[in-house]
Amino acid sequence: MKFTPEDTQTLEDILTWRRDTRHFRTDPIPPETFEMLQDAFERAPSVGNARPWRVLRIQSPERRAAIREEFLRCNSEAADSYDPATRVEYLKLKLAGLDNAPEQLAVFTAVDPEAGRRLGRRTMPETLQQSTAMAIFAMWLTARSLNLGVGMLSILDPDRVTKIVDAPENWVFTAYLCIGYPEFEDDTPLLHRKGWQENTRREWDFR
Ligand SMILES: Cc1cc2nc3c(=O)[nH]c(=O)nc-3n(C[C@H](O)[C@H](O)[C@H](O)COP(=O)(O)O)c2cc1C
């Protein structure tokens, strides 16, 4: 397969307009579109081809409400960790799209998966979590190419999330994902738009 300059431009556009989405429309994702997101996970690279990601599709209203409560608790603790002026700024940020996102995934990483027979991870066990993060990103770009948005949520206590969604003990929590059609599109991160941080480019050093 040879790609054209137009393909390269399309990928650049997808990267530019990817964004972390926190404002969702409630309309559902068609099943065949959702299946393409599942396929994207399977195409991701992983250490020793272990494919350690374990995904739970959270649909129960009780579990969704419990995750929301957990986010509110952790978010309030995070706010209290700042000085009073920064706390006010922090509380103005929207840091989750849990209210409207039609699809919600709890993504875990298997701690010692059989697949791949431990190849490549002896000195760096964290490569399992890195592999799951890559699969999430593959899915994220695919979602964007389908005009969907993804929001990644880490302001949660991993042990509590594991209990809420009843995940096995030998899975570690990696991220909670909200997925749906975005209320609006943007080429600039929300944290830059809201003035939480500067939009600076990180330069590389030479050695
Ligand atoms: C590992 C990880 C965890 C994140 N956790 C959160 C989160 O808890 N809440 C949130 O609003 N955004 C979260 N984000 C999104 C980042 O804030 C976002 O990627 C960053 O501000 C850059 O914006 P962009 O994704 O729109 O480019 C997370 C992103 C990553 C990669």
Side-chain angles (χ1 to χ4, degrees), residues 17-25 94 144 147-149 180-190 193-194:
W17 290 89
R18 176 196 46 79
R19 300 289 64 77
D20 185 277
T21 302
R22 291 118 174 170
H23 301 83
F24 292 95
R25 296 185 346 226
K94 181 164 172 55
R144 207 55 207 96
N147 293 306
L148 287 162
Y181 292 99
E183 266 185 11
F184 56 85
E185 277 141 20
D186 206 340
D187 62 354
T188 302
L190 202 58
R193 284 247 178 264
K194 297 289 173 193

Side-chain angles (χ1 to χ4, degrees), residues 18-20 22 94-96 140 152-155 189 191:
R18 176 196 46 79
R19 300 289 64 77
D20 185 277
R22 291 118 174 170
K94 181 164 172 55
L95 294 174
W140 200 330
M152 190 153 174
L153 184 56
S154 55
I155 306 169
L191 295 184

